[in-house]
Amino acid sequence: MSSPTQIIKSKSQVHIFAIITLAIIFAVGLFVVGYDQGHIFSVVLGESAYADLYIHEITHDMRHAAGFPCH
Amino acid sequence: MKTILFLSIVLFSGALAGTLHGVANLAIVEPYLDTAIGIENQNLFASGEEKDTPQFWVEYDAYRDWQKGGQILAGTILGTSMGGLFGIVYVLSRNVLPKGSDLKKSFTLAAVMWLTIYLIPFLKYPANPPTVGDPETVVLRSVLFLSFIAISGFGAVGFYQAYKRFQSKIKIVAFIGYGMFIAIVFTIMPPNPDEVTAPMDLVNGFRVMSVVAVSVFWVSIAMIFGGLWHKLRPDVEYECI
């Protein structure tokens, strides 16, 4: 009687769910660090978020250092 | 492909490389940012918008400490974001990346992405320290910057498709094609509309350090991602026959 043989298969196909998840993370992360001017917090804080610019301020140095256009 | 393991590798390597980017910024870019913001402060004092008082400096120091710390968090978020893009491109192009270890493939892809979506766009629209940007033009500059990155990135993908279809002897045509394409785009796209009024030694020093710090990110993600892929092999599945 022969014992089962284990074979290794390398599969490059990735689930579309993973691609969509990563694409969303890419877009949201890029927007937060590079472009948000109060938009995200305005959902919770309303118009004042556009004046407070919390995300802009906390990402300010990275925006300049990574090459994003800033003020 | 083990999806959860694949996602974990991508997100962890992106977040860690981004954090290292933030730390590199803190070490080598911050001195230039401080100098540039110092010039902005002097302009505020000269125009009368702010007064040079001890109270101002107390508030300013607290504010800057907060911004500097935030840079690490921003690096982690940006790194995770770019890691996501890196993971997508890696998994879709892995079979055509140079034969050998996943570390070699990872470094090759990181070099291509560093060149096409960072360095070439940077040469057209280089990073600037505070005091250079005009708030009135920030939307236009953002559109130009993002457009150039998108054109360069999608151009690279297009010529990569041609590269795959060409026979070995003429694959070089795809590289030449991309070079000509991006040279034309480089010439056609309008320049940054803002005049640089800050001292050029400050601006140039800032730009050099900015390139070094961003390069730290690309080297880090190549090393961490490739190393983890090699170790954990999310693409390997075992079957019993």
Side-chain angles (χ1 to χ4, degrees):
Chain A
M1 195 173 84
S2 62
S3 58
T5 307
Q6 193 178 54
I7 61 168
I8 298 171
K9 280 189 173 179
S10 177
K11 295 184 177 179
S12 291
Q13 272 198 327
V14 66
H15 201 285
I16 188 69
F17 159 79
I19 300 290
I20 292 170
T21 302
L22 292 178
I24 292 170
I25 289 170
F26 167 64
V28 172
L30 193 67
F31 180 78
V32 167
V33 177
Y35 297 99
D36 181 86
Q37 294 289 82
H39 303 89
I40 292 175
F41 278 3
S42 71
V43 176
V44 180
L45 301 176
E47 288 297 310
S48 66
Y50 295 105
D52 294 333
L53 295 175
Y54 289 124
I55 292 180
H56 174 107
E57 295 299 342
I58 207 161
T59 61
H60 172 269
D61 287 15
M62 178 55 83
R63 284 189 187 190
H64 279 284
F68 291 101
C70 203
H71 55 81
Chain B
M1 182 76 72
K2 299 168 193 162
T3 304
I4 300 298
L5 181 58
F6 165 67
L7 287 175
S8 302
I9 290 172
V10 169
L11 299 179
F12 177 77
S13 50
L16 185 54
T19 306
L20 292 172
H21 180 195
V23 172
N25 279 343
L26 212 49
I28 61 174
V29 183
E30 273 303 330
Y32 294 92
L33 285 168
D34 281 336
T35 305
I37 295 172
I39 293 173
E40 281 188 330
N41 287 340
Q42 293 307 318
N43 291 338
L44 288 174
F45 299 147
S47 68
E49 284 184 66
E50 292 285 352
K51 288 184 178 168
D52 187 356
T53 61
Q55 175 68 14
F56 171 87
W57 290 108
V58 168
E59 288 177 9
Y60 169 79
D61 288 340
Y63 167 71
R64 284 296 294 147
D65 286 346
W66 182 73
Q67 277 193 328
K68 288 177 185 179
Q71 179 162 226
I72 305 292
L73 175 64
T76 308
I77 297 170
L78 182 62
T80 308
S81 162
M82 295 307 295
L85 181 65
F86 186 81
I88 292 172
V89 179
Y90 186 84
V91 81
L92 296 179
S93 63
R94 184 167 172 265
N95 289 339
V96 293
L97 288 169
K99 286 186 173 54
S101 71
D102 279 288
L103 203 56
K104 182 179 174 185
K105 290 176 190 286
S106 179
F107 267 99
T108 304
L109 179 62
V112 170
M113 290 180 73
W114 172 81
L115 181 70
T116 56
I117 66 170
Y118 174 66
L119 190 65
I120 293 173
F122 178 93
L123 293 173
K124 179 69 181 178
Y125 300 113
N128 280 317
T131 80
V132 172
D134 178 357
E136 297 294 318
T137 65
V138 70
V139 174
L140 172 63
R141 285 182 285 126
S142 297
V143 170
L144 291 174
F145 180 65
L146 210 53
S147 301
F148 196 94
I149 290 173
I151 291 169
S152 179
F154 283 115
V157 171
F159 283 98
Y160 155 73
Q161 294 296 336
Y163 173 88
K164 280 200 302 184
R165 286 167 177 75
F166 287 160
Q167 292 177 336
S168 324
K169 286 181 183 173
I170 59 166
K171 279 189 185 294
I172 186 98
V173 172
F175 291 101
I176 296 169
Y178 172 76
M180 290 172 65
F181 166 75
I182 206 64
I184 292 167
V185 174
F186 199 99
T187 310
I188 290 173
M189 291 279 286
N192 183 332
D194 293 353
E195 188 186 347
V196 178
T197 54
M200 281 315 292
D201 57 339
L202 168 66
V203 174
N204 289 332
F206 169 82
R207 288 173 176 170
V208 169
M209 290 306 153
S210 167
V211 171
V212 171
V214 174
S215 302
V216 164
F217 168 77
W218 285 106
V219 170
S220 300
I221 197 167
M223 197 178 298
I224 300 164
F225 181 93
L228 286 176
W229 190 292
H230 177 73
K231 182 89 176 164
L232 302 173
R233 295 306 303 266
D235 57 318
V236 164
E237 292 181 12
Y238 298 95
E239 285 186 11
C240 287
I241 54 172

